[in-house]
């Protein structure tokens, strides 16, 4: 099975050549300003992709997905896209879970996903123990989460929860544009799939993951 992963496209989706595959996963920050027009443009593009399964977990720039009424409208308008917010899918014999939350950042009001640690613990405890493929917007602390200043800004609460998920084989995220890449440890492939660099230029390509016999490998 071939899984195509990307994140943090920030309105540059039309400039991205998306490889063929079975799954297409976008880990959030599809827009820049979170306007209705930006969101509709992205969702039209994503919905039109030929991949059999299309998964989207919103990011902090994707404000319309924070509004219950707008979220319901988007799900109705774009039924081909699986929008996962604290939700799971069971496809092709594996359990997939998606959740967008980030640690609270009080200095940045655009972080609508910001949640304090006690609430974050509840959010991450909801990940099923037998999840094989996890999609979040942000990274865990210590894994592909270093910003341009060299600081690790990932979520330590998520990192702890991941240590408990023995069946997890692939974790897809974005958010930190400076740390794109992969890390493999203990049978788990972690992927920061951000497409745009720190100046919101689409300088990276989507990642291609080959999933065989319960193992994820970067192509």
């Amino acid at each position: 099975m071939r899984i195509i992963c990307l994140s943090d496209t920030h309105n540059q989706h039309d400039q991205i050549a998306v490889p063929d595959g079975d799954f297409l996963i976008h880990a959030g920050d599809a827009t820049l300003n979170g306007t209705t027009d930006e969101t509709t443009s992205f969702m039209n593009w994503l919905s039109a992709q030929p991949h059999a399964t299309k998964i989207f977990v919103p990011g902090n720039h994707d404000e319309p997905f924070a509004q219950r009424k707008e979220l319901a409208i988007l799900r109705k308008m774009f039924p081909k896209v699986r929008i996962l917010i604290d939700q799971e899918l069971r496809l092709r014999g594996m359990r997939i879970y998606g959740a967008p939350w980030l640690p609270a950042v009080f200095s940045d009001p655009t972080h609508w996903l910001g949640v304090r640690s006690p609430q974050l613990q509840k959010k991450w405890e909801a990940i099923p123990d037998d999840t094989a493929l996890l999609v979040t917007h942000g990274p865990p602390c210590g894994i592909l989460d270093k910003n341009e200043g060299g600081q690790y800004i990932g979520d330590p609460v998520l990192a702890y929860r991941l240590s408990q998920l023995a069946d997890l084989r692939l974790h897809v995220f974005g958010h930190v544009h400076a740390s794109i890449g992969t890390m493999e440890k203990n049978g788990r492939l972690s992927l920061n799939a951000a497409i745009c660099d720190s100046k919101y230029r689409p300088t990276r390509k989507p990642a291609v993951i080959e999933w065989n016999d319960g193992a994820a490998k970067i192509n």
Side-chain angles (χ1 to χ4, degrees):
M1 182 168 58
R2 189 173 162 96
I3 304 173
I4 312 302
C5 305
L6 65 166
S7 184
D8 297 83
T9 50
H10 293 291
N11 293 336
Q12 305 299 321
H13 44 269
D14 285 333
Q15 299 186 42
I16 300 166
V18 181
D20 292 335
D22 302 292
F23 283 19
L24 178 58
I25 295 174
H26 193 299
D29 278 1
T31 72
L32 189 58
N33 299 305
T35 66
T36 298
D37 286 346
E38 287 178 349
T39 302
T40 301
S41 172
F42 166 73
M43 290 296 286
N44 275 320
W45 173 84
L46 184 59
S47 186
Q49 298 304 308
H51 308 73
T53 299
K54 293 172 278 285
I55 294 171
F56 178 63
V57 171
N60 48 291
H61 283 259
D62 304 319
E63 179 67 29
F65 296 89
Q67 311 301 324
R68 182 177 298 180
K69 191 173 291 186
E70 290 190 55
L71 176 60
I73 292 171
L74 287 166
R75 282 184 164 139
K76 187 174 183 179
M77 286 177 63
F78 302 101
K80 294 181 180 180
V81 178
R82 308 290 190 97
I83 303 169
L84 299 185
I85 302 177
D86 301 329
Q87 290 171 302
E88 67 174 90
L89 293 173
R90 284 188 178 271
L91 293 171
R92 301 198 181 192
M94 65 177 171
R95 198 168 197 167
I96 304 167
Y97 192 84
W101 312 105
L102 297 168
V105 181
F106 301 110
S107 61
D108 186 350
T110 67
H111 281 240
W112 67 270
L113 299 179
V115 180
R116 298 190 185 194
S117 291
Q119 288 76 31
L120 271 175
Q121 185 172 347
K122 292 181 180 179
K123 296 290 188 184
W124 300 136
E125 284 178 351
I127 302 172
D129 290 339
D130 61 345
T131 296
L133 196 169
L134 176 66
V135 185
T136 61
H137 178 55
C141 184
I143 298 179
L144 302 170
D145 65 327
K146 191 183 290 187
N147 65 13
E148 290 187 317
Q151 298 170 308
Y152 293 98
I153 60 172
D155 182 356
V157 183
L158 175 58
Y160 176 73
R161 179 60 178 139
L162 294 184
S163 71
Q164 301 173 320
L165 301 177
D167 294 334
L168 186 61
R169 294 294 174 264
L170 176 62
H171 180 201
V172 182
F173 51 87
H175 187 57
V176 183
H177 296 198
S179 287
I180 185 175
T182 60
M183 181 182 295
E184 191 167 3
K185 186 177 180 180
N186 298 328
R188 178 191 307 153
L189 182 66
S190 299
L191 167 63
N192 183 330
I195 295 295
C196 286
D197 62 16
S198 59
K199 295 183 179 180
Y200 300 105
R201 299 172 301 191
T203 58
R204 293 81 174 250
K205 296 179 180 180
V208 179
I209 304 296
E210 297 291 345
W211 184 283
N212 293 307
D213 297 323
K217 297 290 182 183
I218 189 77
N219 190 330

